[in-house]
Amino acid sequence: MADNAVQGGTRDTPSGGRPTRPDLAEMVAPLLRTLMAAEQPVLDAHGLTMWAYAVLLHLDETPIRTQAALAEAIRADKTRIIAVLDDLENRALICRRPDPKDRRARLLSLTEEGRRLRDTVQTAIQKGEERLLAQLPDTDRDGFLRGLQALSALAEPGADAPGEKTGRRPPPPR
């Protein structure tokens, strides 16, 4: 039964008994706090907040988005990211312009400087992550990353809720 403690599924709950593995949030929350604490000095060194970094990361997936779509993608309140966008625009890291189809909407894109800064910061952050991941055997590391990517895809806005099946599949691991 000890092997099942980290597996998942029904094997984690003995018949009529208490589950043998911790809840996912109990396992992920301390890891998330550790990762955020490790990221903060890198972000500080480049004058970025975590929200600003999230904006830079998401703008490159689709070069031009409305502010509302961006807010939804990064799970931020669209009125609260305006100050973040103002700062990034003032630093020439993003460009905002009116949408020719809807003058009330703003289209966003990364500037070359924004792309360069995003890549620099992401490289530094992932270098720190590599030190943590190096503590896992290669097969565990690969499985962990694949599983995390699949679960993250399920948590994206617009993805099926857990247990729902509408025919959508998460993207394949990179």
Side-chain angles (χ1 to χ4, degrees):
M1 187 57 94
D3 288 342
N4 290 339
V6 293
Q7 293 298 315
T10 58
R11 294 180 294 180
D12 292 340
T13 306
S15 169
R18 185 171 181 228
T20 58
R21 70 159 174 83
D23 296 342
L24 292 177
E26 183 184 352
M27 291 186 285
V28 172
L31 176 60
L32 181 59
R33 284 190 293 274
T34 297
L35 293 170
M36 290 173 67
E39 283 184 10
Q40 196 60 57
V42 175
L43 297 174
D44 290 346
H46 295 281
L48 292 174
T49 64
M50 288 205 184
W51 283 119
Y53 181 55
V55 167
L56 295 178
L57 285 173
H58 280 81
L59 277 182
D60 203 40
E61 292 173 10
T62 302
I64 300 175
R65 301 175 104 153
T66 65
Q67 290 176 190
L70 175 64
E72 182 181 345
I74 65 172
R75 295 189 175 188
D77 182 285
K78 65 183 175 182
T79 60
R80 296 190 76 194
I81 67 162
I82 292 172
V84 172
L85 297 175
D86 287 345
D87 177 60
L88 293 173
E89 184 177 37
N90 289 337
R91 294 173 59 190
L93 300 172
I94 67 167
C95 178
R96 284 193 290 193
R97 65 181 193 277
D99 182 342
K101 297 177 185 171
D102 180 357
R103 291 293 206 189
R104 296 168 296 174
R106 297 282 177 243
L107 299 178
L108 303 155
S109 59
L110 276 181
T111 64
E112 192 56 43
E113 180 62 19
R115 190 171 284 106
R116 186 200 61 73
L117 180 61
R118 187 249 356 251
D119 293 349
T120 298
V121 171
Q122 189 173 29
T123 297
I125 286 172
Q126 288 190 4
K127 187 180 286 188
E129 292 171 348
E130 287 300 321
R131 287 191 290 275
L132 183 63
L133 289 169
Q135 297 178 46
L136 296 174
D138 288 344
T139 55
D140 288 349
R141 173 192 163 133
D142 294 343
F144 172 75
L145 291 172
R146 279 193 310 276
L148 192 56
Q149 287 172 335
L151 289 173
S152 293
L154 292 173
E156 288 295 316
D160 299 338
E164 288 183 11
K165 293 186 180 179
T166 61
R168 290 179 46 157
R169 292 186 300 174
R174 298 178 199 200

PDB file of all heavy atoms in Angstrom, residues 28 31 35 61 75 122 126 129-130 133 140-157 159-160 168-174:
ATOM      1  N   VAL A  28       0.847  20.434  -3.501  1.00  0.00           N
ATOM      2  CA  VAL A  28       1.253  21.443  -4.479  1.00  0.00           C
ATOM      3  C   VAL A  28       1.487  22.809  -3.830  1.00  0.00           C
ATOM      4  O   VAL A  28       2.402  23.536  -4.228  1.00  0.00           O
ATOM      5  CB  VAL A  28       0.222  21.529  -5.625  1.00  0.00           C
ATOM      6  CG1 VAL A  28       0.517  22.698  -6.539  1.00  0.00           C
ATOM      7  CG2 VAL A  28       0.207  20.233  -6.411  1.00  0.00           C
ATOM      8  N   LEU A  31       5.013  23.526  -2.595  1.00  0.00           N
ATOM      9  CA  LEU A  31       5.891  23.599  -3.759  1.00  0.00           C
ATOM     10  C   LEU A  31       5.704  24.937  -4.470  1.00  0.00           C
ATOM     11  O   LEU A  31       6.679  25.597  -4.848  1.00  0.00           O
ATOM     12  CB  LEU A  31       5.612  22.435  -4.714  1.00  0.00           C
ATOM     13  CG  LEU A  31       6.384  22.439  -6.030  1.00  0.00           C
ATOM     14  CD1 LEU A  31       7.894  22.388  -5.786  1.00  0.00           C
ATOM     15  CD2 LEU A  31       5.929  21.271  -6.906  1.00  0.00           C
ATOM     16  N   LEU A  35       8.505  27.773  -5.163  1.00  0.00           N
ATOM     17  CA  LEU A  35       8.818  28.253  -6.512  1.00  0.00           C
ATOM     18  C   LEU A  35       8.638  29.765  -6.624  1.00  0.00           C
ATOM     19  O   LEU A  35       9.466  30.452  -7.228  1.00  0.00           O
ATOM     20  CB  LEU A  35       7.954  27.532  -7.547  1.00  0.00           C
ATOM     21  CG  LEU A  35       8.238  26.041  -7.716  1.00  0.00           C
ATOM     22  CD1 LEU A  35       7.175  25.384  -8.589  1.00  0.00           C
ATOM     23  CD2 LEU A  35       9.622  25.811  -8.281  1.00  0.00           C
ATOM     24  N   GLU A  61       2.020  33.805 -26.738  1.00  0.00           N
ATOM     25  CA  GLU A  61       1.239  32.679 -27.229  1.00  0.00           C
ATOM     26  C   GLU A  61       0.341  33.115 -28.380  1.00  0.00           C
ATOM     27  O   GLU A  61       0.181  32.419 -29.357  1.00  0.00           O
ATOM     28  CB  GLU A  61       0.401  32.074 -26.105  1.00  0.00           C
ATOM     29  CG  GLU A  61       1.256  31.402 -25.042  1.00  0.00           C
ATOM     30  CD  GLU A  61       0.439  30.956 -23.850  1.00  0.00           C
ATOM     31  OE1 GLU A  61      -0.801  30.987 -23.925  1.00  0.00           O
ATOM     32  OE2 GLU A  61       1.054  30.576 -22.847  1.00  0.00           O
ATOM     33  N   ARG A  75      -5.967  34.796 -15.499  1.00  0.00           N
ATOM     34  CA  ARG A  75      -6.868  34.743 -14.342  1.00  0.00           C
ATOM     35  C   ARG A  75      -6.699  35.952 -13.437  1.00  0.00           C
ATOM     36  O   ARG A  75      -6.539  35.827 -12.226  1.00  0.00           O
ATOM     37  CB  ARG A  75      -6.696  33.445 -13.587  1.00  0.00           C
ATOM     38  CG  ARG A  75      -7.119  32.273 -14.444  1.00  0.00           C
ATOM     39  CD  ARG A  75      -7.181  31.017 -13.695  1.00  0.00           C
ATOM     40  NE  ARG A  75      -7.718  29.998 -14.600  1.00  0.00           N
ATOM     41  CZ  ARG A  75      -8.043  28.815 -14.226  1.00  0.00           C
ATOM     42  NH1 ARG A  75      -7.908  28.454 -12.994  1.00  0.00           N
ATOM     43  NH2 ARG A  75      -8.515  27.946 -15.102  1.00  0.00           N
ATOM     44  N   GLN A 122      12.673  34.252 -18.008  1.00  0.00           N
ATOM     45  CA  GLN A 122      12.230  32.861 -18.031  1.00  0.00           C
ATOM     46  C   GLN A 122      13.426  31.910 -17.966  1.00  0.00           C
ATOM     47  O   GLN A 122      13.386  30.900 -17.267  1.00  0.00           O
ATOM     48  CB  GLN A 122      11.379  32.580 -19.269  1.00  0.00           C
ATOM     49  CG  GLN A 122      10.723  31.215 -19.236  1.00  0.00           C
ATOM     50  CD  GLN A 122       9.747  31.014 -20.375  1.00  0.00           C
ATOM     51  OE1 GLN A 122       9.904  31.586 -21.457  1.00  0.00           O
ATOM     52  NE2 GLN A 122       8.741  30.194 -20.135  1.00  0.00           N
ATOM     53  N   GLN A 126      13.882  29.260 -14.974  1.00  0.00           N
ATOM     54  CA  GLN A 126      13.952  27.826 -15.256  1.00  0.00           C
ATOM     55  C   GLN A 126      15.293  27.221 -14.855  1.00  0.00           C
ATOM     56  O   GLN A 126      15.362  26.042 -14.532  1.00  0.00           O
ATOM     57  CB  GLN A 126      13.599  27.548 -16.715  1.00  0.00           C
ATOM     58  CG  GLN A 126      12.109  27.755 -16.946  1.00  0.00           C
ATOM     59  CD  GLN A 126      11.618  27.290 -18.288  1.00  0.00           C
ATOM     60  OE1 GLN A 126      12.364  26.717 -19.082  1.00  0.00           O
ATOM     61  NE2 GLN A 126      10.352  27.533 -18.552  1.00  0.00           N
ATOM     62  N   GLU A 129      14.664  26.293 -11.425  1.00  0.00           N
ATOM     63  CA  GLU A 129      13.786  25.115 -11.390  1.00  0.00           C
ATOM     64  C   GLU A 129      14.558  23.840 -11.698  1.00  0.00           C
ATOM     65  O   GLU A 129      14.276  22.782 -11.137  1.00  0.00           O
ATOM     66  CB  GLU A 129      12.637  25.282 -12.383  1.00  0.00           C
ATOM     67  CG  GLU A 129      11.656  26.365 -12.006  1.00  0.00           C
ATOM     68  CD  GLU A 129      10.645  26.666 -13.103  1.00  0.00           C
ATOM     69  OE1 GLU A 129      10.820  26.199 -14.250  1.00  0.00           O
ATOM     70  OE2 GLU A 129       9.677  27.386 -12.821  1.00  0.00           O
ATOM     71  N   GLU A 130      15.531  23.946 -12.586  1.00  0.00           N
ATOM     72  CA  GLU A 130      16.330  22.772 -12.951  1.00  0.00           C
ATOM     73  C   GLU A 130      17.069  22.214 -11.740  1.00  0.00           C
ATOM     74  O   GLU A 130      17.216  21.008 -11.612  1.00  0.00           O
ATOM     75  CB  GLU A 130      17.326  23.112 -14.064  1.00  0.00           C
ATOM     76  CG  GLU A 130      16.688  23.299 -15.425  1.00  0.00           C
ATOM     77  CD  GLU A 130      15.958  22.059 -15.924  1.00  0.00           C
ATOM     78  OE1 GLU A 130      16.454  20.929 -15.716  1.00  0.00           O
ATOM     79  OE2 GLU A 130      14.879  22.223 -16.518  1.00  0.00           O
ATOM     80  N   LEU A 133      14.403  20.217  -9.965  1.00  0.00           N
ATOM     81  CA  LEU A 133      14.040  19.022 -10.740  1.00  0.00           C
ATOM     82  C   LEU A 133      15.170  18.006 -10.790  1.00  0.00           C
ATOM     83  O   LEU A 133      14.925  16.796 -10.885  1.00  0.00           O
ATOM     84  CB  LEU A 133      13.633  19.419 -12.165  1.00  0.00           C
ATOM     85  CG  LEU A 133      12.295  20.139 -12.294  1.00  0.00           C
ATOM     86  CD1 LEU A 133      12.141  20.723 -13.695  1.00  0.00           C
ATOM     87  CD2 LEU A 133      11.140  19.216 -11.951  1.00  0.00           C
ATOM     88  N   ASP A 140      11.177   9.875 -13.133  1.00  0.00           N
ATOM     89  CA  ASP A 140      10.220  10.575 -12.276  1.00  0.00           C
ATOM     90  C   ASP A 140      10.048  12.017 -12.739  1.00  0.00           C
ATOM     91  O   ASP A 140       8.943  12.550 -12.762  1.00  0.00           O
ATOM     92  CB  ASP A 140      10.665  10.563 -10.818  1.00  0.00           C
ATOM     93  CG  ASP A 140      10.538   9.199 -10.173  1.00  0.00           C
ATOM     94  OD1 ASP A 140       9.908   8.300 -10.770  1.00  0.00           O
ATOM     95  OD2 ASP A 140      11.078   9.026  -9.061  1.00  0.00           O
ATOM     96  N   ARG A 141      11.160  12.645 -13.090  1.00  0.00           N
ATOM     97  CA  ARG A 141      11.115  14.036 -13.557  1.00  0.00           C
ATOM     98  C   ARG A 141      10.270  14.151 -14.816  1.00  0.00           C
ATOM     99  O   ARG A 141       9.391  15.003 -14.906  1.00  0.00           O
ATOM    100  CB  ARG A 141      12.545  14.506 -13.840  1.00  0.00           C
ATOM    101  CG  ARG A 141      12.616  15.858 -14.473  1.00  0.00           C
ATOM    102  CD  ARG A 141      14.021  16.120 -14.990  1.00  0.00           C
ATOM    103  NE  ARG A 141      13.984  17.214 -15.911  1.00  0.00           N
ATOM    104  CZ  ARG A 141      14.807  18.227 -15.893  1.00  0.00           C
ATOM    105  NH1 ARG A 141      15.774  18.277 -15.025  1.00  0.00           N
ATOM    106  NH2 ARG A 141      14.686  19.190 -16.769  1.00  0.00           N
ATOM    107  N   ASP A 142      10.506  13.278 -15.805  1.00  0.00           N
ATOM    108  CA  ASP A 142       9.752  13.330 -17.057  1.00  0.00           C
ATOM    109  C   ASP A 142       8.269  13.093 -16.812  1.00  0.00           C
ATOM    110  O   ASP A 142       7.415  13.787 -17.352  1.00  0.00           O
ATOM    111  CB  ASP A 142      10.301  12.317 -18.068  1.00  0.00           C
ATOM    112  CG  ASP A 142      11.709  12.657 -18.533  1.00  0.00           C
ATOM    113  OD1 ASP A 142      12.150  13.812 -18.341  1.00  0.00           O
ATOM    114  OD2 ASP A 142      12.374  11.758 -19.085  1.00  0.00           O
ATOM    115  N   GLY A 143       7.953  12.108 -15.971  1.00  0.00           N
ATOM    116  CA  GLY A 143       6.554  11.823 -15.649  1.00  0.00           C
ATOM    117  C   GLY A 143       5.902  12.972 -14.901  1.00  0.00           C
ATOM    118  O   GLY A 143       4.750  13.320 -15.156  1.00  0.00           O
ATOM    119  N   PHE A 144       6.636  13.566 -13.962  1.00  0.00           N
ATOM    120  CA  PHE A 144       6.118  14.708 -13.206  1.00  0.00           C
ATOM    121  C   PHE A 144       5.790  15.862 -14.147  1.00  0.00           C
ATOM    122  O   PHE A 144       4.711  16.447 -14.076  1.00  0.00           O
ATOM    123  CB  PHE A 144       7.138  15.150 -12.148  1.00  0.00           C
ATOM    124  CG  PHE A 144       6.773  16.424 -11.450  1.00  0.00           C
ATOM    125  CD1 PHE A 144       5.774  16.443 -10.494  1.00  0.00           C
ATOM    126  CD2 PHE A 144       7.435  17.611 -11.750  1.00  0.00           C
ATOM    127  CE1 PHE A 144       5.431  17.633  -9.846  1.00  0.00           C
ATOM    128  CE2 PHE A 144       7.114  18.794 -11.110  1.00  0.00           C
ATOM    129  CZ  PHE A 144       6.100  18.798 -10.152  1.00  0.00           C
ATOM    130  N   LEU A 145       6.714  16.187 -15.051  1.00  0.00           N
ATOM    131  CA  LEU A 145       6.495  17.298 -15.975  1.00  0.00           C
ATOM    132  C   LEU A 145       5.333  17.022 -16.924  1.00  0.00           C
ATOM    133  O   LEU A 145       4.511  17.907 -17.180  1.00  0.00           O
ATOM    134  CB  LEU A 145       7.773  17.613 -16.752  1.00  0.00           C
ATOM    135  CG  LEU A 145       8.900  18.222 -15.912  1.00  0.00           C
ATOM    136  CD1 LEU A 145      10.181  18.319 -16.721  1.00  0.00           C
ATOM    137  CD2 LEU A 145       8.489  19.579 -15.358  1.00  0.00           C
ATOM    138  N   ARG A 146       5.234  15.793 -17.446  1.00  0.00           N
ATOM    139  CA  ARG A 146       4.108  15.447 -18.326  1.00  0.00           C
ATOM    140  C   ARG A 146       2.783  15.551 -17.583  1.00  0.00           C
ATOM    141  O   ARG A 146       1.811  16.108 -18.084  1.00  0.00           O
ATOM    142  CB  ARG A 146       4.284  14.049 -18.912  1.00  0.00           C
ATOM    143  CG  ARG A 146       5.198  13.979 -20.110  1.00  0.00           C
ATOM    144  CD  ARG A 146       5.088  12.639 -20.836  1.00  0.00           C
ATOM    145  NE  ARG A 146       5.202  11.488 -19.957  1.00  0.00           N
ATOM    146  CZ  ARG A 146       6.362  10.944 -19.563  1.00  0.00           C
ATOM    147  NH1 ARG A 146       7.508  11.445 -19.982  1.00  0.00           N
ATOM    148  NH2 ARG A 146       6.372   9.896 -18.769  1.00  0.00           N
ATOM    149  N   GLY A 147       2.746  15.005 -16.373  1.00  0.00           N
ATOM    150  CA  GLY A 147       1.515  15.057 -15.582  1.00  0.00           C
ATOM    151  C   GLY A 147       1.132  16.482 -15.224  1.00  0.00           C
ATOM    152  O   GLY A 147      -0.039  16.862 -15.297  1.00  0.00           O
ATOM    153  N   LEU A 148       2.111  17.284 -14.851  1.00  0.00           N
ATOM    154  CA  LEU A 148       1.843  18.675 -14.497  1.00  0.00           C
ATOM    155  C   LEU A 148       1.335  19.464 -15.702  1.00  0.00           C
ATOM    156  O   LEU A 148       0.400  20.258 -15.590  1.00  0.00           O
ATOM    157  CB  LEU A 148       3.112  19.317 -13.921  1.00  0.00           C
ATOM    158  CG  LEU A 148       2.959  20.659 -13.247  1.00  0.00           C
ATOM    159  CD1 LEU A 148       1.934  20.609 -12.125  1.00  0.00           C
ATOM    160  CD2 LEU A 148       4.312  21.100 -12.695  1.00  0.00           C
ATOM    161  N   GLN A 149       1.923  19.219 -16.869  1.00  0.00           N
ATOM    162  CA  GLN A 149       1.440  19.888 -18.087  1.00  0.00           C
ATOM    163  C   GLN A 149       0.008  19.481 -18.401  1.00  0.00           C
ATOM    164  O   GLN A 149      -0.818  20.319 -18.773  1.00  0.00           O
ATOM    165  CB  GLN A 149       2.359  19.593 -19.270  1.00  0.00           C
ATOM    166  CG  GLN A 149       3.683  20.321 -19.172  1.00  0.00           C
ATOM    167  CD  GLN A 149       4.679  19.887 -20.227  1.00  0.00           C
ATOM    168  OE1 GLN A 149       4.626  18.784 -20.753  1.00  0.00           O
ATOM    169  NE2 GLN A 149       5.613  20.767 -20.537  1.00  0.00           N
ATOM    170  N   ALA A 150      -0.310  18.208 -18.257  1.00  0.00           N
ATOM    171  CA  ALA A 150      -1.670  17.740 -18.540  1.00  0.00           C
ATOM    172  C   ALA A 150      -2.666  18.343 -17.555  1.00  0.00           C
ATOM    173  O   ALA A 150      -3.738  18.812 -17.953  1.00  0.00           O
ATOM    174  CB  ALA A 150      -1.722  16.211 -18.495  1.00  0.00           C
ATOM    175  N   LEU A 151      -2.337  18.355 -16.263  1.00  0.00           N
ATOM    176  CA  LEU A 151      -3.237  18.934 -15.271  1.00  0.00           C
ATOM    177  C   LEU A 151      -3.372  20.442 -15.453  1.00  0.00           C
ATOM    178  O   LEU A 151      -4.453  21.002 -15.288  1.00  0.00           O
ATOM    179  CB  LEU A 151      -2.755  18.604 -13.856  1.00  0.00           C
ATOM    180  CG  LEU A 151      -2.908  17.143 -13.437  1.00  0.00           C
ATOM    181  CD1 LEU A 151      -2.230  16.904 -12.086  1.00  0.00           C
ATOM    182  CD2 LEU A 151      -4.363  16.729 -13.404  1.00  0.00           C
ATOM    183  N   SER A 152      -2.281  21.104 -15.813  1.00  0.00           N
ATOM    184  CA  SER A 152      -2.340  22.555 -16.057  1.00  0.00           C
ATOM    185  C   SER A 152      -3.255  22.868 -17.226  1.00  0.00           C
ATOM    186  O   SER A 152      -4.003  23.843 -17.196  1.00  0.00           O
ATOM    187  CB  SER A 152      -0.939  23.113 -16.326  1.00  0.00           C
ATOM    188  OG  SER A 152      -0.161  23.032 -15.169  1.00  0.00           O
ATOM    189  N   ALA A 153      -3.202  22.048 -18.271  1.00  0.00           N
ATOM    190  CA  ALA A 153      -4.070  22.261 -19.434  1.00  0.00           C
ATOM    191  C   ALA A 153      -5.533  22.120 -19.041  1.00  0.00           C
ATOM    192  O   ALA A 153      -6.395  22.846 -19.557  1.00  0.00           O
ATOM    193  CB  ALA A 153      -3.709  21.287 -20.547  1.00  0.00           C
ATOM    194  N   LEU A 154      -5.832  21.211 -18.131  1.00  0.00           N
ATOM    195  CA  LEU A 154      -7.209  21.032 -17.676  1.00  0.00           C
ATOM    196  C   LEU A 154      -7.694  22.226 -16.856  1.00  0.00           C
ATOM    197  O   LEU A 154      -8.884  22.486 -16.778  1.00  0.00           O
ATOM    198  CB  LEU A 154      -7.338  19.756 -16.842  1.00  0.00           C
ATOM    199  CG  LEU A 154      -7.147  18.446 -17.586  1.00  0.00           C
ATOM    200  CD1 LEU A 154      -7.136  17.272 -16.613  1.00  0.00           C
ATOM    201  CD2 LEU A 154      -8.216  18.266 -18.645  1.00  0.00           C
ATOM    202  N   ALA A 155      -6.767  22.937 -16.233  1.00  0.00           N
ATOM    203  CA  ALA A 155      -7.117  24.074 -15.385  1.00  0.00           C
ATOM    204  C   ALA A 155      -7.210  25.377 -16.170  1.00  0.00           C
ATOM    205  O   ALA A 155      -7.568  26.405 -15.612  1.00  0.00           O
ATOM    206  CB  ALA A 155      -6.099  24.219 -14.258  1.00  0.00           C
ATOM    207  N   GLU A 156      -6.884  25.376 -17.457  1.00  0.00           N
ATOM    208  CA  GLU A 156      -6.944  26.582 -18.273  1.00  0.00           C
ATOM    209  C   GLU A 156      -8.379  27.062 -18.429  1.00  0.00           C
ATOM    210  O   GLU A 156      -9.300  26.248 -18.483  1.00  0.00           O
ATOM    211  CB  GLU A 156      -6.356  26.318 -19.666  1.00  0.00           C
ATOM    212  CG  GLU A 156      -4.858  26.157 -19.668  1.00  0.00           C
ATOM    213  CD  GLU A 156      -4.114  27.407 -19.259  1.00  0.00           C
ATOM    214  OE1 GLU A 156      -4.477  28.505 -19.717  1.00  0.00           O
ATOM    215  OE2 GLU A 156      -3.173  27.284 -18.471  1.00  0.00           O
ATOM    216  N   PRO A 157      -8.588  28.373 -18.543  1.00  0.00           N
ATOM    217  CA  PRO A 157      -9.940  28.881 -18.794  1.00  0.00           C
ATOM    218  C   PRO A 157     -10.513  28.230 -20.057  1.00  0.00           C
ATOM    219  O   PRO A 157      -9.826  28.089 -21.054  1.00  0.00           O
ATOM    220  CB  PRO A 157      -9.731  30.384 -19.003  1.00  0.00           C
ATOM    221  CG  PRO A 157      -8.441  30.687 -18.324  1.00  0.00           C
ATOM    222  CD  PRO A 157      -7.597  29.433 -18.446  1.00  0.00           C
ATOM    223  N   ALA A 159     -11.330  25.142 -20.387  1.00  0.00           N
ATOM    224  CA  ALA A 159     -11.113  23.692 -20.426  1.00  0.00           C
ATOM    225  C   ALA A 159     -12.267  22.999 -19.719  1.00  0.00           C
ATOM    226  O   ALA A 159     -12.986  23.601 -18.931  1.00  0.00           O
ATOM    227  CB  ALA A 159      -9.792  23.331 -19.760  1.00  0.00           C
ATOM    228  N   ASP A 160     -12.437  21.730 -20.012  1.00  0.00           N
ATOM    229  CA  ASP A 160     -13.482  20.952 -19.359  1.00  0.00           C
ATOM    230  C   ASP A 160     -13.227  20.910 -17.857  1.00  0.00           C
ATOM    231  O   ASP A 160     -12.089  20.782 -17.421  1.00  0.00           O
ATOM    232  CB  ASP A 160     -13.498  19.516 -19.879  1.00  0.00           C
ATOM    233  CG  ASP A 160     -13.780  19.441 -21.371  1.00  0.00           C
ATOM    234  OD1 ASP A 160     -14.366  20.400 -21.908  1.00  0.00           O
ATOM    235  OD2 ASP A 160     -13.413  18.431 -21.988  1.00  0.00           O
ATOM    236  N   ARG A 168     -12.768  17.278 -25.691  1.00  0.00           N
ATOM    237  CA  ARG A 168     -11.509  18.030 -25.739  1.00  0.00           C
ATOM    238  C   ARG A 168     -10.435  17.256 -25.011  1.00  0.00           C
ATOM    239  O   ARG A 168     -10.664  16.684 -23.960  1.00  0.00           O
ATOM    240  CB  ARG A 168     -11.691  19.381 -25.062  1.00  0.00           C
ATOM    241  CG  ARG A 168     -12.564  20.309 -25.844  1.00  0.00           C
ATOM    242  CD  ARG A 168     -12.705  21.595 -25.112  1.00  0.00           C
ATOM    243  NE  ARG A 168     -11.378  22.026 -24.650  1.00  0.00           N
ATOM    244  CZ  ARG A 168     -11.075  23.263 -24.379  1.00  0.00           C
ATOM    245  NH1 ARG A 168     -11.948  24.198 -24.521  1.00  0.00           N
ATOM    246  NH2 ARG A 168      -9.877  23.586 -23.959  1.00  0.00           N
ATOM    247  N   ARG A 169      -9.263  17.250 -25.572  1.00  0.00           N
ATOM    248  CA  ARG A 169      -8.129  16.610 -24.907  1.00  0.00           C
ATOM    249  C   ARG A 169      -7.096  17.673 -24.600  1.00  0.00           C
ATOM    250  O   ARG A 169      -6.957  18.635 -25.337  1.00  0.00           O
ATOM    251  CB  ARG A 169      -7.507  15.553 -25.817  1.00  0.00           C
ATOM    252  CG  ARG A 169      -8.421  14.377 -26.030  1.00  0.00           C
ATOM    253  CD  ARG A 169      -7.730  13.307 -26.797  1.00  0.00           C
ATOM    254  NE  ARG A 169      -7.326  13.843 -28.095  1.00  0.00           N
ATOM    255  CZ  ARG A 169      -6.592  13.178 -28.972  1.00  0.00           C
ATOM    256  NH1 ARG A 169      -6.186  11.983 -28.712  1.00  0.00           N
ATOM    257  NH2 ARG A 169      -6.284  13.697 -30.131  1.00  0.00           N
ATOM    258  N   PRO A 170      -6.339  17.465 -23.502  1.00  0.00           N
ATOM    259  CA  PRO A 170      -5.268  18.426 -23.223  1.00  0.00           C
ATOM    260  C   PRO A 170      -4.208  18.346 -24.311  1.00  0.00           C
ATOM    261  O   PRO A 170      -4.092  17.304 -24.985  1.00  0.00           O
ATOM    262  CB  PRO A 170      -4.709  17.980 -21.874  1.00  0.00           C
ATOM    263  CG  PRO A 170      -5.226  16.608 -21.650  1.00  0.00           C
ATOM    264  CD  PRO A 170      -6.433  16.426 -22.515  1.00  0.00           C
ATOM    265  N   PRO A 171      -3.481  19.436 -24.537  1.00  0.00           N
ATOM    266  CA  PRO A 171      -2.430  19.394 -25.558  1.00  0.00           C
ATOM    267  C   PRO A 171      -1.372  18.381 -25.186  1.00  0.00           C
ATOM    268  O   PRO A 171      -1.164  18.091 -24.011  1.00  0.00           O
ATOM    269  CB  PRO A 171      -1.880  20.822 -25.553  1.00  0.00           C
ATOM    270  CG  PRO A 171      -2.268  21.387 -24.241  1.00  0.00           C
ATOM    271  CD  PRO A 171      -3.511  20.686 -23.806  1.00  0.00           C
ATOM    272  N   PRO A 172      -0.683  17.824 -26.185  1.00  0.00           N
ATOM    273  CA  PRO A 172       0.370  16.854 -25.869  1.00  0.00           C
ATOM    274  C   PRO A 172       1.509  17.531 -25.143  1.00  0.00           C
ATOM    275  O   PRO A 172       1.751  18.734 -25.321  1.00  0.00           O
ATOM    276  CB  PRO A 172       0.825  16.377 -27.258  1.00  0.00           C
ATOM    277  CG  PRO A 172       0.399  17.436 -28.207  1.00  0.00           C
ATOM    278  CD  PRO A 172      -0.799  18.095 -27.600  1.00  0.00           C
ATOM    279  N   PRO A 173       2.213  16.802 -24.282  1.00  0.00           N
ATOM    280  CA  PRO A 173       3.362  17.392 -23.572  1.00  0.00           C
ATOM    281  C   PRO A 173       4.432  17.819 -24.553  1.00  0.00           C
ATOM    282  O   PRO A 173       4.585  17.231 -25.613  1.00  0.00           O
ATOM    283  CB  PRO A 173       3.873  16.262 -22.675  1.00  0.00           C
ATOM    284  CG  PRO A 173       2.927  15.137 -22.814  1.00  0.00           C
ATOM    285  CD  PRO A 173       1.992  15.432 -23.938  1.00  0.00           C
ATOM    286  N   ARG A 174       5.141  18.858 -24.167  1.00  0.00           N
ATOM    287  CA  ARG A 174       6.221  19.376 -25.019  1.00  0.00           C
ATOM    288  C   ARG A 174       7.500  18.637 -24.774  1.00  0.00           C
ATOM    289  O   ARG A 174       7.824  18.158 -23.805  1.00  0.00           O
ATOM    290  CB  ARG A 174       6.457  20.851 -24.757  1.00  0.00           C
ATOM    291  CG  ARG A 174       5.262  21.661 -25.088  1.00  0.00           C
ATOM    292  CD  ARG A 174       5.547  23.098 -24.759  1.00  0.00           C
ATOM    293  NE  ARG A 174       4.275  23.779 -24.658  1.00  0.00           N
ATOM    294  CZ  ARG A 174       4.139  25.057 -24.748  1.00  0.00           C
ATOM    295  NH1 ARG A 174       5.156  25.808 -24.943  1.00  0.00           N
ATOM    296  NH2 ARG A 174       2.974  25.621 -24.644  1.00  0.00           N
TER     297      ARG A 174
END
